[in-house]
Amino acid sequence: MEFPTPTTSHLTSHDFERIYEPAEDSYLLMDALEAHCQQIRNLRPSLCVEVGVGSGAVLTFLGGIIGSSAHYIGTDISRHAAVAARSTGQHNNILIDTVQTDLVTALLPRCSGCVDVMLFNPPYVVTPSEEISQGGIAATWAGGVNGREVTDRLLPLVSRLLSPSGRFYLLLLEENQPGDVHQILSDTGLSGEEVIRRRSGPENLSVWCYKRK
Ligand SMILES: C[S@@+](CC[C@H](N)C(=O)[O-])C[C@H]1O[C@@H](n2cnc3c(N)ncnc32)[C@H](O)[C@@H]1O
């Protein structure tokens, strides 16, 4: 089944100086969701959350798979991203609520045990730690040590948020040490499988799907 790539033509080059422009990683995450479209639909999701929603293109794409029966929430540390993601939803007929917050802080504890599909394409690039808090566009890609500093803060919260049959889709770079992420999530009761892998220039990217053991 093929689903249309959401339009982001309402966003300008000026917007993309402040928000992450959909790139190979974003499209790989969309391809993973497309590959799992039937299993995602079978879950009959009612709440879907994208952490670090950026332009909103990926969450909107998920909305194209599931339809209007689910509620969509995007979080982002950036106010500009929160505004952009809502408008990307509108331009593609998907209703998206957004919240400017650190990771999922604003969703806890209210959404605990309620999230059926959770997505994260994190800032994954290996950088000095200081770049993470530098602000601006660097916050969209700077991942600090092993490119994992932002991701590692979310991992302990995933199992708390997921519904009993919930799924967590996470994009990782090889340098992020996926095996290590696996172990951390396994210790919280989740097991994962690789959905898709692609080399993009120097980046070896993969998307993983986690669910309760
Ligand atoms: C690699 S971009 C992905 C954007 C979008 N999801 C996509 O796939 O195109 C990472 C996103 O995470 C956001 N982000 C970074 N640190 C965050 C934090 N602590 N809490 C919430 N969002 C964060 C960035 O602003 C950026 O929008």
mmCIF file with all atom_site columns, all heavy atoms in Angstrom, residues 43 45 47 113-118 158 161-169 190-191 209-213:
data_model
loop_
_atom_site.group_PDB
_atom_site.id
_atom_site.type_symbol
_atom_site.label_atom_id
_atom_site.label_alt_id
_atom_site.label_comp_id
_atom_site.label_asym_id
_atom_site.label_entity_id
_atom_site.label_seq_id
_atom_site.pdbx_PDB_ins_code
_atom_site.Cartn_x
_atom_site.Cartn_y
_atom_site.Cartn_z
_atom_site.occupancy
_atom_site.B_iso_or_equiv
_atom_site.pdbx_formal_charge
_atom_site.auth_seq_id
_atom_site.auth_comp_id
_atom_site.auth_asym_id
_atom_site.auth_atom_id
_atom_site.pdbx_PDB_model_num
ATOM 1   N N   . LEU A 1 43  ? -4.092 -2.428 15.381 1.00 0.00 ? 43  LEU A N   1
ATOM 2   C CA  . LEU A 1 43  ? -4.079 -1.999 16.789 1.00 0.00 ? 43  LEU A CA  1
ATOM 3   C C   . LEU A 1 43  ? -5.305 -1.156 17.123 1.00 0.00 ? 43  LEU A C   1
ATOM 4   O O   . LEU A 1 43  ? -5.593 -0.897 18.281 1.00 0.00 ? 43  LEU A O   1
ATOM 5   C CB  . LEU A 1 43  ? -2.840 -1.130 17.076 1.00 0.00 ? 43  LEU A CB  1
ATOM 6   C CG  . LEU A 1 43  ? -1.462 -1.759 17.009 1.00 0.00 ? 43  LEU A CG  1
ATOM 7   C CD1 . LEU A 1 43  ? -0.399 -0.685 17.145 1.00 0.00 ? 43  LEU A CD1 1
ATOM 8   C CD2 . LEU A 1 43  ? -1.309 -2.785 18.129 1.00 0.00 ? 43  LEU A CD2 1
ATOM 9   N N   . PRO A 1 45  ? -5.571 2.180  16.863 1.00 0.00 ? 45  PRO A N   1
ATOM 10  C CA  . PRO A 1 45  ? -4.997 3.155  17.798 1.00 0.00 ? 45  PRO A CA  1
ATOM 11  C C   . PRO A 1 45  ? -5.960 4.301  18.080 1.00 0.00 ? 45  PRO A C   1
ATOM 12  O O   . PRO A 1 45  ? -6.683 4.741  17.181 1.00 0.00 ? 45  PRO A O   1
ATOM 13  C CB  . PRO A 1 45  ? -3.779 3.712  17.052 1.00 0.00 ? 45  PRO A CB  1
ATOM 14  C CG  . PRO A 1 45  ? -3.619 2.887  15.828 1.00 0.00 ? 45  PRO A CG  1
ATOM 15  C CD  . PRO A 1 45  ? -4.915 2.205  15.557 1.00 0.00 ? 45  PRO A CD  1
ATOM 16  N N   . LEU A 1 47  ? -4.649 6.860  20.424 1.00 0.00 ? 47  LEU A N   1
ATOM 17  C CA  . LEU A 1 47  ? -3.756 7.983  20.726 1.00 0.00 ? 47  LEU A CA  1
ATOM 18  C C   . LEU A 1 47  ? -2.370 7.727  20.126 1.00 0.00 ? 47  LEU A C   1
ATOM 19  O O   . LEU A 1 47  ? -1.743 6.701  20.411 1.00 0.00 ? 47  LEU A O   1
ATOM 20  C CB  . LEU A 1 47  ? -3.639 8.197  22.248 1.00 0.00 ? 47  LEU A CB  1
ATOM 21  C CG  . LEU A 1 47  ? -2.709 9.337  22.684 1.00 0.00 ? 47  LEU A CG  1
ATOM 22  C CD1 . LEU A 1 47  ? -3.159 10.686 22.117 1.00 0.00 ? 47  LEU A CD1 1
ATOM 23  C CD2 . LEU A 1 47  ? -2.617 9.422  24.211 1.00 0.00 ? 47  LEU A CD2 1
ATOM 24  N N   . GLY A 1 113 ? 0.217  4.903  30.013 1.00 0.00 ? 113 GLY A N   1
ATOM 25  C CA  . GLY A 1 113 ? -0.503 3.682  29.640 1.00 0.00 ? 113 GLY A CA  1
ATOM 26  C C   . GLY A 1 113 ? -1.509 3.873  28.526 1.00 0.00 ? 113 GLY A C   1
ATOM 27  O O   . GLY A 1 113 ? -2.314 2.976  28.273 1.00 0.00 ? 113 GLY A O   1
ATOM 28  N N   . CYS A 1 114 ? -1.483 5.024  27.844 1.00 0.00 ? 114 CYS A N   1
ATOM 29  C CA  . CYS A 1 114 ? -2.528 5.330  26.852 1.00 0.00 ? 114 CYS A CA  1
ATOM 30  C C   . CYS A 1 114 ? -2.030 5.472  25.421 1.00 0.00 ? 114 CYS A C   1
ATOM 31  O O   . CYS A 1 114 ? -2.826 5.584  24.498 1.00 0.00 ? 114 CYS A O   1
ATOM 32  C CB  . CYS A 1 114 ? -3.216 6.653  27.206 1.00 0.00 ? 114 CYS A CB  1
ATOM 33  S SG  . CYS A 1 114 ? -4.047 6.631  28.773 1.00 0.00 ? 114 CYS A SG  1
ATOM 34  N N   . VAL A 1 115 ? -0.714 5.503  25.216 1.00 0.00 ? 115 VAL A N   1
ATOM 35  C CA  . VAL A 1 115 ? -0.201 5.822  23.874 1.00 0.00 ? 115 VAL A CA  1
ATOM 36  C C   . VAL A 1 115 ? -0.089 4.545  23.035 1.00 0.00 ? 115 VAL A C   1
ATOM 37  O O   . VAL A 1 115 ? 0.657  3.634  23.372 1.00 0.00 ? 115 VAL A O   1
ATOM 38  C CB  . VAL A 1 115 ? 1.166  6.540  23.954 1.00 0.00 ? 115 VAL A CB  1
ATOM 39  C CG1 . VAL A 1 115 ? 1.674  6.872  22.560 1.00 0.00 ? 115 VAL A CG1 1
ATOM 40  C CG2 . VAL A 1 115 ? 1.057  7.806  24.802 1.00 0.00 ? 115 VAL A CG2 1
ATOM 41  N N   . ASP A 1 116 ? -0.854 4.499  21.954 1.00 0.00 ? 116 ASP A N   1
ATOM 42  C CA  . ASP A 1 116 ? -0.878 3.292  21.121 1.00 0.00 ? 116 ASP A CA  1
ATOM 43  C C   . ASP A 1 116 ? 0.257  3.262  20.103 1.00 0.00 ? 116 ASP A C   1
ATOM 44  O O   . ASP A 1 116 ? 0.784  2.196  19.788 1.00 0.00 ? 116 ASP A O   1
ATOM 45  C CB  . ASP A 1 116 ? -2.224 3.205  20.393 1.00 0.00 ? 116 ASP A CB  1
ATOM 46  C CG  . ASP A 1 116 ? -3.368 3.120  21.375 1.00 0.00 ? 116 ASP A CG  1
ATOM 47  O OD1 . ASP A 1 116 ? -3.335 2.207  22.216 1.00 0.00 ? 116 ASP A OD1 1
ATOM 48  O OD2 . ASP A 1 116 ? -4.272 3.974  21.328 1.00 0.00 ? 116 ASP A OD2 1
ATOM 49  N N   . VAL A 1 117 ? 0.589  4.429  19.560 1.00 0.00 ? 117 VAL A N   1
ATOM 50  C CA  . VAL A 1 117 ? 1.728  4.508  18.639 1.00 0.00 ? 117 VAL A CA  1
ATOM 51  C C   . VAL A 1 117 ? 2.549  5.727  19.023 1.00 0.00 ? 117 VAL A C   1
ATOM 52  O O   . VAL A 1 117 ? 2.021  6.837  19.116 1.00 0.00 ? 117 VAL A O   1
ATOM 53  C CB  . VAL A 1 117 ? 1.286  4.637  17.158 1.00 0.00 ? 117 VAL A CB  1
ATOM 54  C CG1 . VAL A 1 117 ? 2.510  4.662  16.240 1.00 0.00 ? 117 VAL A CG1 1
ATOM 55  C CG2 . VAL A 1 117 ? 0.352  3.500  16.760 1.00 0.00 ? 117 VAL A CG2 1
ATOM 56  N N   . MET A 1 118 ? 3.831  5.480  19.266 1.00 0.00 ? 118 MET A N   1
ATOM 57  C CA  . MET A 1 118 ? 4.728  6.567  19.667 1.00 0.00 ? 118 MET A CA  1
ATOM 58  C C   . MET A 1 118 ? 5.904  6.574  18.696 1.00 0.00 ? 118 MET A C   1
ATOM 59  O O   . MET A 1 118 ? 6.440  5.510  18.345 1.00 0.00 ? 118 MET A O   1
ATOM 60  C CB  . MET A 1 118 ? 5.202  6.281  21.092 1.00 0.00 ? 118 MET A CB  1
ATOM 61  C CG  . MET A 1 118 ? 5.996  7.375  21.710 1.00 0.00 ? 118 MET A CG  1
ATOM 62  S SD  . MET A 1 118 ? 6.089  6.971  23.478 1.00 0.00 ? 118 MET A SD  1
ATOM 63  C CE  . MET A 1 118 ? 7.407  8.034  23.950 1.00 0.00 ? 118 MET A CE  1
ATOM 64  N N   . VAL A 1 158 ? 9.285  5.431  28.021 1.00 0.00 ? 158 VAL A N   1
ATOM 65  C CA  . VAL A 1 158 ? 8.498  4.836  26.935 1.00 0.00 ? 158 VAL A CA  1
ATOM 66  C C   . VAL A 1 158 ? 7.502  3.802  27.449 1.00 0.00 ? 158 VAL A C   1
ATOM 67  O O   . VAL A 1 158 ? 6.304  3.871  27.147 1.00 0.00 ? 158 VAL A O   1
ATOM 68  C CB  . VAL A 1 158 ? 9.444  4.199  25.879 1.00 0.00 ? 158 VAL A CB  1
ATOM 69  C CG1 . VAL A 1 158 ? 8.631  3.474  24.811 1.00 0.00 ? 158 VAL A CG1 1
ATOM 70  C CG2 . VAL A 1 158 ? 10.326 5.268  25.247 1.00 0.00 ? 158 VAL A CG2 1
ATOM 71  N N   . LEU A 1 161 ? 4.452  5.188  29.106 1.00 0.00 ? 161 LEU A N   1
ATOM 72  C CA  . LEU A 1 161 ? 3.451  5.835  28.258 1.00 0.00 ? 161 LEU A CA  1
ATOM 73  C C   . LEU A 1 161 ? 2.667  4.866  27.383 1.00 0.00 ? 161 LEU A C   1
ATOM 74  O O   . LEU A 1 161 ? 1.495  5.096  27.085 1.00 0.00 ? 161 LEU A O   1
ATOM 75  C CB  . LEU A 1 161 ? 4.126  6.877  27.360 1.00 0.00 ? 161 LEU A CB  1
ATOM 76  C CG  . LEU A 1 161 ? 4.419  8.207  28.053 1.00 0.00 ? 161 LEU A CG  1
ATOM 77  C CD1 . LEU A 1 161 ? 5.464  9.002  27.280 1.00 0.00 ? 161 LEU A CD1 1
ATOM 78  C CD2 . LEU A 1 161 ? 3.150  9.030  28.211 1.00 0.00 ? 161 LEU A CD2 1
ATOM 79  N N   . LEU A 1 162 ? 3.330  3.763  26.960 1.00 0.00 ? 162 LEU A N   1
ATOM 80  C CA  . LEU A 1 162 ? 2.671  2.865  26.005 1.00 0.00 ? 162 LEU A CA  1
ATOM 81  C C   . LEU A 1 162 ? 1.450  2.162  26.596 1.00 0.00 ? 162 LEU A C   1
ATOM 82  O O   . LEU A 1 162 ? 1.466  1.744  27.756 1.00 0.00 ? 162 LEU A O   1
ATOM 83  C CB  . LEU A 1 162 ? 3.656  1.798  25.517 1.00 0.00 ? 162 LEU A CB  1
ATOM 84  C CG  . LEU A 1 162 ? 4.734  2.204  24.512 1.00 0.00 ? 162 LEU A CG  1
ATOM 85  C CD1 . LEU A 1 162 ? 5.493  0.965  24.050 1.00 0.00 ? 162 LEU A CD1 1
ATOM 86  C CD2 . LEU A 1 162 ? 4.173  2.968  23.330 1.00 0.00 ? 162 LEU A CD2 1
ATOM 87  N N   . SER A 1 163 ? 0.426  2.026  25.763 1.00 0.00 ? 163 SER A N   1
ATOM 88  C CA  . SER A 1 163 ? -0.741 1.223  26.145 1.00 0.00 ? 163 SER A CA  1
ATOM 89  C C   . SER A 1 163 ? -0.320 -0.253 26.115 1.00 0.00 ? 163 SER A C   1
ATOM 90  O O   . SER A 1 163 ? 0.751  -0.588 25.609 1.00 0.00 ? 163 SER A O   1
ATOM 91  C CB  . SER A 1 163 ? -1.882 1.489  25.152 1.00 0.00 ? 163 SER A CB  1
ATOM 92  O OG  . SER A 1 163 ? -1.507 1.030  23.877 1.00 0.00 ? 163 SER A OG  1
ATOM 93  N N   . PRO A 1 164 ? -1.156 -1.178 26.619 1.00 0.00 ? 164 PRO A N   1
ATOM 94  C CA  . PRO A 1 164 ? -0.749 -2.585 26.677 1.00 0.00 ? 164 PRO A CA  1
ATOM 95  C C   . PRO A 1 164 ? -0.284 -3.137 25.329 1.00 0.00 ? 164 PRO A C   1
ATOM 96  O O   . PRO A 1 164 ? 0.651  -3.933 25.270 1.00 0.00 ? 164 PRO A O   1
ATOM 97  C CB  . PRO A 1 164 ? -2.013 -3.290 27.178 1.00 0.00 ? 164 PRO A CB  1
ATOM 98  C CG  . PRO A 1 164 ? -2.702 -2.241 28.002 1.00 0.00 ? 164 PRO A CG  1
ATOM 99  C CD  . PRO A 1 164 ? -2.425 -0.928 27.323 1.00 0.00 ? 164 PRO A CD  1
ATOM 100 N N   . SER A 1 165 ? -0.907 -2.718 24.235 1.00 0.00 ? 165 SER A N   1
ATOM 101 C CA  . SER A 1 165 ? -0.461 -3.234 22.924 1.00 0.00 ? 165 SER A CA  1
ATOM 102 C C   . SER A 1 165 ? 0.290  -2.164 22.116 1.00 0.00 ? 165 SER A C   1
ATOM 103 O O   . SER A 1 165 ? 0.467  -2.309 20.905 1.00 0.00 ? 165 SER A O   1
ATOM 104 C CB  . SER A 1 165 ? -1.665 -3.739 22.124 1.00 0.00 ? 165 SER A CB  1
ATOM 105 O OG  . SER A 1 165 ? -2.585 -2.677 21.974 1.00 0.00 ? 165 SER A OG  1
ATOM 106 N N   . GLY A 1 166 ? 0.737  -1.128 22.811 1.00 0.00 ? 166 GLY A N   1
ATOM 107 C CA  . GLY A 1 166 ? 1.353  0.010  22.127 1.00 0.00 ? 166 GLY A CA  1
ATOM 108 C C   . GLY A 1 166 ? 2.669  -0.314 21.437 1.00 0.00 ? 166 GLY A C   1
ATOM 109 O O   . GLY A 1 166 ? 3.350  -1.287 21.768 1.00 0.00 ? 166 GLY A O   1
ATOM 110 N N   . ARG A 1 167 ? 3.010  0.500  20.441 1.00 0.00 ? 167 ARG A N   1
ATOM 111 C CA  . ARG A 1 167 ? 4.259  0.344  19.675 1.00 0.00 ? 167 ARG A CA  1
ATOM 112 C C   . ARG A 1 167 ? 5.059  1.633  19.736 1.00 0.00 ? 167 ARG A C   1
ATOM 113 O O   . ARG A 1 167 ? 4.496  2.725  19.656 1.00 0.00 ? 167 ARG A O   1
ATOM 114 C CB  . ARG A 1 167 ? 3.946  0.083  18.192 1.00 0.00 ? 167 ARG A CB  1
ATOM 115 C CG  . ARG A 1 167 ? 3.110  -1.151 17.934 1.00 0.00 ? 167 ARG A CG  1
ATOM 116 C CD  . ARG A 1 167 ? 3.959  -2.401 18.005 1.00 0.00 ? 167 ARG A CD  1
ATOM 117 N NE  . ARG A 1 167 ? 3.271  -3.579 17.525 1.00 0.00 ? 167 ARG A NE  1
ATOM 118 C CZ  . ARG A 1 167 ? 2.440  -4.337 18.200 1.00 0.00 ? 167 ARG A CZ  1
ATOM 119 N NH1 . ARG A 1 167 ? 2.127  -4.024 19.443 1.00 0.00 ? 167 ARG A NH1 1
ATOM 120 N NH2 . ARG A 1 167 ? 1.898  -5.413 17.677 1.00 0.00 ? 167 ARG A NH2 1
ATOM 121 N N   . PHE A 1 168 ? 6.379  1.468  19.827 1.00 0.00 ? 168 PHE A N   1
ATOM 122 C CA  . PHE A 1 168 ? 7.286  2.616  19.840 1.00 0.00 ? 168 PHE A CA  1
ATOM 123 C C   . PHE A 1 168 ? 8.239  2.484  18.658 1.00 0.00 ? 168 PHE A C   1
ATOM 124 O O   . PHE A 1 168 ? 9.005  1.509  18.582 1.00 0.00 ? 168 PHE A O   1
ATOM 125 C CB  . PHE A 1 168 ? 8.066  2.644  21.157 1.00 0.00 ? 168 PHE A CB  1
ATOM 126 C CG  . PHE A 1 168 ? 9.155  3.677  21.234 1.00 0.00 ? 168 PHE A CG  1
ATOM 127 C CD1 . PHE A 1 168 ? 8.921  5.006  20.885 1.00 0.00 ? 168 PHE A CD1 1
ATOM 128 C CD2 . PHE A 1 168 ? 10.433 3.331  21.681 1.00 0.00 ? 168 PHE A CD2 1
ATOM 129 C CE1 . PHE A 1 168 ? 9.934  5.961  20.968 1.00 0.00 ? 168 PHE A CE1 1
ATOM 130 C CE2 . PHE A 1 168 ? 11.446 4.282  21.775 1.00 0.00 ? 168 PHE A CE2 1
ATOM 131 C CZ  . PHE A 1 168 ? 11.196 5.595  21.410 1.00 0.00 ? 168 PHE A CZ  1
ATOM 132 N N   . TYR A 1 169 ? 8.187  3.436  17.732 1.00 0.00 ? 169 TYR A N   1
ATOM 133 C CA  . TYR A 1 169 ? 9.073  3.426  16.563 1.00 0.00 ? 169 TYR A CA  1
ATOM 134 C C   . TYR A 1 169 ? 10.181 4.446  16.789 1.00 0.00 ? 169 TYR A C   1
ATOM 135 O O   . TYR A 1 169 ? 9.922  5.634  17.001 1.00 0.00 ? 169 TYR A O   1
ATOM 136 C CB  . TYR A 1 169 ? 8.289  3.785  15.295 1.00 0.00 ? 169 TYR A CB  1
ATOM 137 C CG  . TYR A 1 169 ? 7.337  2.691  14.891 1.00 0.00 ? 169 TYR A CG  1
ATOM 138 C CD1 . TYR A 1 169 ? 6.030  2.666  15.371 1.00 0.00 ? 169 TYR A CD1 1
ATOM 139 C CD2 . TYR A 1 169 ? 7.747  1.661  14.049 1.00 0.00 ? 169 TYR A CD2 1
ATOM 140 C CE1 . TYR A 1 169 ? 5.154  1.643  15.023 1.00 0.00 ? 169 TYR A CE1 1
ATOM 141 C CE2 . TYR A 1 169 ? 6.878  0.635  13.690 1.00 0.00 ? 169 TYR A CE2 1
ATOM 142 C CZ  . TYR A 1 169 ? 5.591  0.635  14.178 1.00 0.00 ? 169 TYR A CZ  1
ATOM 143 O OH  . TYR A 1 169 ? 4.735  -0.391 13.824 1.00 0.00 ? 169 TYR A OH  1
ATOM 144 N N   . LEU A 1 190 ? 10.400 -4.040 27.365 1.00 0.00 ? 190 LEU A N   1
ATOM 145 C CA  . LEU A 1 190 ? 10.060 -3.925 25.940 1.00 0.00 ? 190 LEU A CA  1
ATOM 146 C C   . LEU A 1 190 ? 11.016 -4.765 25.095 1.00 0.00 ? 190 LEU A C   1
ATOM 147 O O   . LEU A 1 190 ? 12.195 -4.878 25.414 1.00 0.00 ? 190 LEU A O   1
ATOM 148 C CB  . LEU A 1 190 ? 10.143 -2.462 25.492 1.00 0.00 ? 190 LEU A CB  1
ATOM 149 C CG  . LEU A 1 190 ? 9.245  -1.468 26.227 1.00 0.00 ? 190 LEU A CG  1
ATOM 150 C CD1 . LEU A 1 190 ? 9.480  -0.051 25.709 1.00 0.00 ? 190 LEU A CD1 1
ATOM 151 C CD2 . LEU A 1 190 ? 7.770  -1.831 26.070 1.00 0.00 ? 190 LEU A CD2 1
ATOM 152 N N   . SER A 1 191 ? 10.489 -5.325 24.011 1.00 0.00 ? 191 SER A N   1
ATOM 153 C CA  . SER A 1 191 ? 11.362 -6.011 23.062 1.00 0.00 ? 191 SER A CA  1
ATOM 154 C C   . SER A 1 191 ? 11.208 -5.330 21.711 1.00 0.00 ? 191 SER A C   1
ATOM 155 O O   . SER A 1 191 ? 10.157 -4.751 21.407 1.00 0.00 ? 191 SER A O   1
ATOM 156 C CB  . SER A 1 191 ? 10.995 -7.485 22.949 1.00 0.00 ? 191 SER A CB  1
ATOM 157 O OG  . SER A 1 191 ? 9.718  -7.616 22.371 1.00 0.00 ? 191 SER A OG  1
ATOM 158 N N   . CYS A 1 209 ? 11.070 -1.131 16.026 1.00 0.00 ? 209 CYS A N   1
ATOM 159 C CA  . CYS A 1 209 ? 9.727  -1.114 16.606 1.00 0.00 ? 209 CYS A CA  1
ATOM 160 C C   . CYS A 1 209 ? 9.763  -1.887 17.922 1.00 0.00 ? 209 CYS A C   1
ATOM 161 O O   . CYS A 1 209 ? 10.164 -3.060 17.948 1.00 0.00 ? 209 CYS A O   1
ATOM 162 C CB  . CYS A 1 209 ? 8.739  -1.769 15.643 1.00 0.00 ? 209 CYS A CB  1
ATOM 163 S SG  . CYS A 1 209 ? 7.099  -1.953 16.346 1.00 0.00 ? 209 CYS A SG  1
ATOM 164 N N   . TYR A 1 210 ? 9.356  -1.250 18.995 1.00 0.00 ? 210 TYR A N   1
ATOM 165 C CA  . TYR A 1 210 ? 9.355  -1.872 20.331 1.00 0.00 ? 210 TYR A CA  1
ATOM 166 C C   . TYR A 1 210 ? 7.929  -2.067 20.819 1.00 0.00 ? 210 TYR A C   1
ATOM 167 O O   . TYR A 1 210 ? 7.053  -1.227 20.579 1.00 0.00 ? 210 TYR A O   1
ATOM 168 C CB  . TYR A 1 210 ? 10.124 -0.996 21.328 1.00 0.00 ? 210 TYR A CB  1
ATOM 169 C CG  . TYR A 1 210 ? 11.607 -0.993 21.064 1.00 0.00 ? 210 TYR A CG  1
ATOM 170 C CD1 . TYR A 1 210 ? 12.178 -0.061 20.208 1.00 0.00 ? 210 TYR A CD1 1
ATOM 171 C CD2 . TYR A 1 210 ? 12.433 -1.962 21.632 1.00 0.00 ? 210 TYR A CD2 1
ATOM 172 C CE1 . TYR A 1 210 ? 13.537 -0.074 19.924 1.00 0.00 ? 210 TYR A CE1 1
ATOM 173 C CE2 . TYR A 1 210 ? 13.790 -1.990 21.363 1.00 0.00 ? 210 TYR A CE2 1
ATOM 174 C CZ  . TYR A 1 210 ? 14.330 -1.049 20.510 1.00 0.00 ? 210 TYR A CZ  1
ATOM 175 O OH  . TYR A 1 210 ? 15.667 -1.084 20.229 1.00 0.00 ? 210 TYR A OH  1
ATOM 176 N N   . LYS A 1 211 ? 7.714  -3.174 21.522 1.00 0.00 ? 211 LYS A N   1
ATOM 177 C CA  . LYS A 1 211 ? 6.419  -3.419 22.156 1.00 0.00 ? 211 LYS A CA  1
ATOM 178 C C   . LYS A 1 211 ? 6.657  -4.223 23.429 1.00 0.00 ? 211 LYS A C   1
ATOM 179 O O   . LYS A 1 211 ? 7.777  -4.694 23.675 1.00 0.00 ? 211 LYS A O   1
ATOM 180 C CB  . LYS A 1 211 ? 5.487  -4.185 21.212 1.00 0.00 ? 211 LYS A CB  1
ATOM 181 C CG  . LYS A 1 211 ? 6.031  -5.519 20.795 1.00 0.00 ? 211 LYS A CG  1
ATOM 182 C CD  . LYS A 1 211 ? 5.089  -6.183 19.807 1.00 0.00 ? 211 LYS A CD  1
ATOM 183 C CE  . LYS A 1 211 ? 5.668  -7.490 19.343 1.00 0.00 ? 211 LYS A CE  1
ATOM 184 N NZ  . LYS A 1 211 ? 4.918  -8.173 18.336 1.00 0.00 ? 211 LYS A NZ  1
ATOM 185 N N   . ARG A 1 212 ? 5.594  -4.380 24.213 1.00 0.00 ? 212 ARG A N   1
ATOM 186 C CA  . ARG A 1 212 ? 5.768  -5.130 25.469 1.00 0.00 ? 212 ARG A CA  1
ATOM 187 C C   . ARG A 1 212 ? 6.097  -6.590 25.199 1.00 0.00 ? 212 ARG A C   1
ATOM 188 O O   . ARG A 1 212 ? 5.582  -7.179 24.270 1.00 0.00 ? 212 ARG A O   1
ATOM 189 C CB  . ARG A 1 212 ? 4.490  -5.047 26.311 1.00 0.00 ? 212 ARG A CB  1
ATOM 190 C CG  . ARG A 1 212 ? 4.219  -3.642 26.804 1.00 0.00 ? 212 ARG A CG  1
ATOM 191 C CD  . ARG A 1 212 ? 3.145  -3.596 27.871 1.00 0.00 ? 212 ARG A CD  1
ATOM 192 N NE  . ARG A 1 212 ? 2.744  -2.214 28.031 1.00 0.00 ? 212 ARG A NE  1
ATOM 193 C CZ  . ARG A 1 212 ? 3.464  -1.286 28.637 1.00 0.00 ? 212 ARG A CZ  1
ATOM 194 N NH1 . ARG A 1 212 ? 4.631  -1.599 29.160 1.00 0.00 ? 212 ARG A NH1 1
ATOM 195 N NH2 . ARG A 1 212 ? 3.042  -0.042 28.716 1.00 0.00 ? 212 ARG A NH2 1
ATOM 196 N N   . LYS A 1 213 ? 6.977  -7.166 26.050 1.00 0.00 ? 213 LYS A N   1
ATOM 197 C CA  . LYS A 1 213 ? 7.373  -8.573 25.863 1.00 0.00 ? 213 LYS A CA  1
ATOM 198 C C   . LYS A 1 213 ? 6.194  -9.478 26.145 1.00 0.00 ? 213 LYS A C   1
ATOM 199 O O   . LYS A 1 213 ? 5.362  -9.151 26.986 1.00 0.00 ? 213 LYS A O   1
ATOM 200 C CB  . LYS A 1 213 ? 8.495  -8.911 26.836 1.00 0.00 ? 213 LYS A CB  1
ATOM 201 C CG  . LYS A 1 213 ? 9.823  -8.270 26.487 1.00 0.00 ? 213 LYS A CG  1
ATOM 202 C CD  . LYS A 1 213 ? 10.878 -8.644 27.529 1.00 0.00 ? 213 LYS A CD  1
ATOM 203 C CE  . LYS A 1 213 ? 12.118 -7.789 27.351 1.00 0.00 ? 213 LYS A CE  1
ATOM 204 N NZ  . LYS A 1 213 ? 13.088 -7.947 28.431 1.00 0.00 ? 213 LYS A NZ  1
#
